[in-house]
Amino acid sequence: MAISEEILADYPNLPEVSPIGVELDWAWLAGHESEWGVHPKPSARGLTLMDIAVGSYAEVPEHPKHRSMAARGADIADDTPDMGYILNKKSDVWSSNVSELYEEAVARQWSATRDIPWNQLEELSPDLEHAMCQLCTTLSEIEMIASDLPAKWMWRMNHEFLEAKMFLCTQIMDEARHSEVFRKRALANGGGLLKSRGGSETLLRTIIEAKTYTQATALLHLLGEGMILDLFRQGEAIAPTDVEKRIFRMCMQDEARHVAYGTMHIRHSVENDPDVAEEIHEALDHGEAAMLALGTAPDMSTALAMLLAGGADKIEEVGFPLQMQLGKNQLTSYLARCERAGVGRLERTTLPLAELGIEIEELRRGVGA
Amino acid sequence: MRIDSVELFDRLASAMNADTGRYELLGDIDLDLAVVMHRPDGDAFRVLLGFRGIECETVVSIEAGAEVAAECWVEGDVAHWQEMFDDIARHGHATGAWTLNTLTIMGDKIQLKAADPMGWDKFHRFNQTLQDFVDAAANVLDEEASNVSA
């Protein structure tokens, strides 16, 4: 190792040995051959990932040469160690909107402690308080899967797909906050945590045990979070007070980002490898059955029906019919997203479309399939 | 002030752009949203709102059918929009069934539409910002009422 003539020409006084006797080459002073001198321009909202995606730094390789934690675009030594990543194709994890979603997530973080007007909680009738607490108990349980699942896969993702990993970090934080806020709501108004039974665990296990990341993300982002997004929409609509409205609205925003990542990731994945579509379909075949079991599980569905009815007296006249309508919305949105993701399910789904009054032909026209 | 007017949405945009503290806390928004209000005579008011960063940068009247080019649009009879704004004016913000999300999930008064499900989801990604945007009508309409009575 020696200091190159090029560096010495510019910096003739550099020492060749450190105070403890280590030989020095100062190679980094030569800069990166291809991109030194690039000046990304901040946009109106600051210096975003999109702003720094310039020149070769904007290029995300389909098949990265290295499997190390080295920063993409750096001058990486040939002998950099292999970290054992197994998701080494861009199509394994990427989505076209991932940088924008990361910036959006960072900009739209919120605090379950500070940003919910907890002091405006109102005393509810016992039936409504129980129903809200039951809903929050279930949501606090199932939300954490969307933290656990990316955590299970992230350390296996090639580090050159940094933006995707960064976005998933925001999702992990989002879902931790959701578990937090629903736990807080269950406790905050004099109620507490209520029933937890096996139905929800079946779905969670199906998701966490998915064999591939793409199957996992189809189950989590497209199916699970898509359905929960609509559940949050319902939650906002049936919230007894402004406090719950705010909770559901803030969670809904986060959830919609996760769904946006999943939809476009699956699209990217299928476009790059059409064979993946069948793998996704197989996962969704199982996932839809598990989701249906969760959606019809007695605890959550009855709690929702009671909230929709505004109390225990009109569940059959008001609660159940509204629940059917909202279920129809949920499945329609999910199937439209599947079409957008390139894994149309209209011919394959076993979800009870007819029972919910969903006309397959109408749906087909609606999604342009 | 008529709610089916560019003037109202200009005022709402100005209110948003002046309230940087509130919208910084809610975070950036990047969305083209159209609002369609059907009038009893069969005509309709259409406006395109362009949100960027923490501002509403664009308020522009659009032609019939142009809403399809927006990422998503919210559409209903002007009478229902009036009820929503009346609720906002009465309470200082939308309550109960009159929030944007509740109205659009029920869908019987005002519908959320999008040519692309990704646009449909964007309405939800930025929902709190959009709610605060229309809630600002409480002050705008209140000022207007004060001006009229004065």
Side-chain angles (χ1 to χ4, degrees), chain A residues 15-313:
Chain A
E16 293 187 15
V17 179
S18 79
I20 58 169
V22 176
E23 204 174 343
L24 306 172
D25 68 7
W26 302 92
W28 51 266
L29 263 172
H32 195 298
E33 287 175 9
S34 61
E35 298 294 355
W36 189 255
V38 166
H39 294 279
K41 300 281 187 297
S43 56
R45 57 188 83 168
L47 189 64
T48 66
L49 286 180
M50 293 76 82
D51 297 328
I52 63 166
V54 292
S56 63
Y57 296 124
E59 293 166 13
V60 181
E62 297 292 335
H63 301 279
K65 178 182 170 189
H66 299 287
R67 297 183 178 186
S68 73
M69 285 189 172
R72 187 184 75 230
D75 189 3
I76 303 171
D78 287 337
D79 62 351
T80 190
D82 187 322
M83 298 298 289
Y85 298 136
I86 60 171
L87 297 170
N88 292 302
K89 284 188 298 179
K90 184 179 176 183
S91 62
D92 285 338
V93 301
W94 201 253
S95 77
S96 58
N97 53 358
V98 75
S99 294
E100 288 83 354
L101 288 172
Y102 172 77
E103 291 288 351
E104 184 181 313
V106 171
R108 297 185 77 82
Q109 290 295 299
W110 54 280
S111 160
T113 300
R114 184 195 61 211
D115 296 326
I116 304 300
W118 295 109
N119 57 3
Q120 292 176 26
L121 271 172
E122 296 168 15
E123 186 174 350
L124 303 178
S125 60
D127 49 355
L128 284 180
E129 184 61 34
H130 275 88
M132 182 53 68
C133 287
Q134 179 56 52
L135 181 59
C136 289
T137 301
T138 306
L139 289 174
S140 190
E141 176 179 354
I142 64 179
E143 281 297 281
M144 210 61 186
I145 185 69
S147 290
D148 285 348
L149 193 279
K152 174 184 171 178
W153 289 96
M154 271 176 57
W155 72 281
R156 317 304 299 270
M157 291 178 187
N158 194 300
H159 200 62
E160 301 229 349
F161 310 133
L162 180 66
E163 292 87 343
K165 297 174 86 164
M166 288 161 62
F167 171 73
L168 291 171
C169 289
T170 69
Q171 177 179 317
I172 288 173
M173 184 64 233
D174 292 343
E175 300 294 351
R177 186 171 53 246
H178 296 180
S179 280
E180 172 197 358
V181 79
F182 290 118
R183 186 175 182 84
K184 284 181 172 174
R185 172 57 191 88
L187 300 175
N189 210 23
L193 294 160
L194 299 179
K195 289 280 184 194
S196 171
R197 296 192 234 208
S200 48
E201 297 294 323
T202 305
L203 174 67
L204 303 185
R205 181 173 294 165
T206 301
I207 294 173
I208 202 76
E209 291 182 349
K211 289 176 189 161
T212 67
Y213 176 69
T214 299
Q215 280 192 327
T217 193
L219 289 167
L220 179 71
H221 292 109
L222 198 58
L223 176 65
E225 297 214 71
M227 295 287 187
I228 296 297
L229 167 59
D230 279 288
L231 184 62
F232 286 167
R233 293 192 71 207
Q234 296 173 28
E236 197 271 357
I238 60 184
T241 75
D242 287 344
V243 177
E244 291 88 4
K245 273 198 176 296
R246 180 87 177 186
I247 290 172
F248 282 109
R249 214 180 287 136
M250 298 306 275
C251 291
M252 176 170 71
Q253 295 189 141
D254 298 339
E255 213 75 0
R257 269 197 310 276
H258 310 162
V259 172
Y261 163 75
T263 306
M264 296 313 280
H265 162 55
I266 289 168
R267 185 176 185 85
H268 183 89
S269 188
V270 170
E271 280 175 350
N272 281 273
D273 182 1
D275 290 343
V276 168
E278 184 52 33
E279 185 186 310
I280 292 170
H281 278 303
E282 283 176 14
L284 292 176
D285 290 342
H286 293 294
E288 286 175 2
M291 176 56 79
L292 192 60
L294 173 65
T296 54
D299 300 327
M300 189 161 80
S301 65
T302 49
L304 271 171
M306 187 170 288
L307 288 164
L308 283 163
D313 293 337

Side-chain angles (χ1 to χ4, degrees), chain B residues 18 20 25 28-29 39 46 58 83 109 122 130 133 137 145:
Chain B
T20 52
L25 205 58
D28 293 340
I29 173 171
R39 296 175 175 129
R46 290 176 169 83
T58 313
E83 288 179 274
K109 297 182 175 71
K122 267 193 158 186
L130 298 174
F133 178 81

Side-chain angles (χ1 to χ4, degrees), chain A residues 104 108 233 236 253 340, chain B residues 102 116 124-125 128-129:
Chain A
E104 184 181 313
R108 297 185 77 82
R233 293 192 71 207
E236 197 271 357
Q253 295 189 141
R340 184 68 168 88
Chain B
T102 303
D116 181 342
H124 305 104
R125 277 157 61 184
Q128 185 66 56
T129 301

